[in-house]
Amino acid sequence: MDTQTPPSHAVPLLTTGSQERSDAARNRQLLLDAAEALVREQGADAVTMDAVAKRAGVGKGTVFRRFGNRAGLMLALLDQSEQKRQAAYMFGPPPLGPGAPPVERLVAFGRARLAGIDIEGEIRRAADAGERYSSAPYNIMKTHVAMLLRQAGTPGDIPLLADSLLAALDAALVLHQTRNLGYTLDQIGDHWESLVRRATI
């Protein structure tokens, strides 16, 4: 099934926990927006609790109370970017969202992840997020890729194939390929498309 409403067994979108009061949610978003702007402008190393507080116009204690520490802030940034991607591929327009053939959606999924790889790679490095392969963001992506592989009638061990395909989109690997090996994101995107089409024959 592939409709605008996810099936009852689907992995839900990531959430930030209990329902927040509107003012608390606004303050949290203000801090995340400030941190994301710093990453985009100066890189993840520029994101300190002091810098985020100054950028957001609040006291440093507010940032610590909201996220605990710098790693917690970075993990919250990753969570936010993942929620945006999930909304795009679960409910957005085709070919990334529902309505396109599964192979075309897989191709679009990879290219969409590559489009934001610089920012994600910087944040993930700063977060030093261990246990990534048992984390909710990774397993939601894996569930989505596995669903499209099954819809395309792909043979073999689908969970293992989903892991293998996602490995090609790993932020650290892609940053190494672009920054050290000289590949462009378009070249890597073309390679992703080639992998997907060969895997789904």
Side-chain angles (χ1 to χ4, degrees), residues 149-171:
L149 288 170
R150 290 189 180 98
Q151 288 178 350
T154 308
D157 188 323
I158 297 299
L160 185 60
L161 179 56
D163 278 329
S164 298
L165 287 173
L166 285 171
L169 302 174
D170 178 75

Side-chain angles (χ1 to χ4, degrees), residues 9-161:
H9 64 274
V11 180
L13 288 172
L14 291 175
T15 65
T16 56
S18 58
Q19 188 69 29
E20 296 177 295
R21 298 191 323 271
S22 59
D23 58 338
R26 281 194 301 271
N27 289 338
R28 182 178 189 277
Q29 193 59 54
L30 177 68
L31 294 171
L32 288 175
D33 288 345
E36 185 173 346
L38 285 169
V39 174
R40 290 186 181 280
E41 294 168 10
Q42 303 174 44
D45 291 338
V47 181
T48 65
M49 305 302 257
D50 279 326
V52 171
K54 182 177 180 181
R55 183 73 174 245
V58 302
K60 182 170 69 171
T62 300
V63 188
F64 277 102
R65 283 192 299 273
R66 203 65 185 81
F67 301 105
N69 54 33
R70 184 171 182 270
L73 172 61
M74 291 298 180
L75 287 171
L77 275 176
L78 286 173
D79 180 70
Q80 174 175 264
S81 64
E82 194 58 44
Q83 286 186 57
K84 290 177 182 177
R85 274 194 295 266
Q86 288 169 28
Y89 66 67
M90 293 174 75
F91 309 115
L96 182 57
V103 172
E104 302 309 316
R105 292 189 67 195
L106 269 174
V107 170
F109 171 82
R111 292 190 182 276
R113 287 197 64 78
L114 289 170
I117 209 74
D118 280 336
I119 300 300
E120 180 185 345
E122 284 286 307
I123 295 172
R124 191 171 294 283
R125 178 178 61 80
D128 191 24
E131 305 298 328
R132 75 173 64 179
Y133 300 112
S134 60
S135 68
Y138 182 82
N139 281 290
I140 290 170
M141 286 192 301
K142 181 176 176 178
T143 297
H144 178 68
V145 169
M147 176 194 75
L148 294 177
L149 288 170
R150 290 189 180 98
Q151 288 178 350
T154 308
D157 188 323
I158 297 299
L160 185 60
L161 179 56

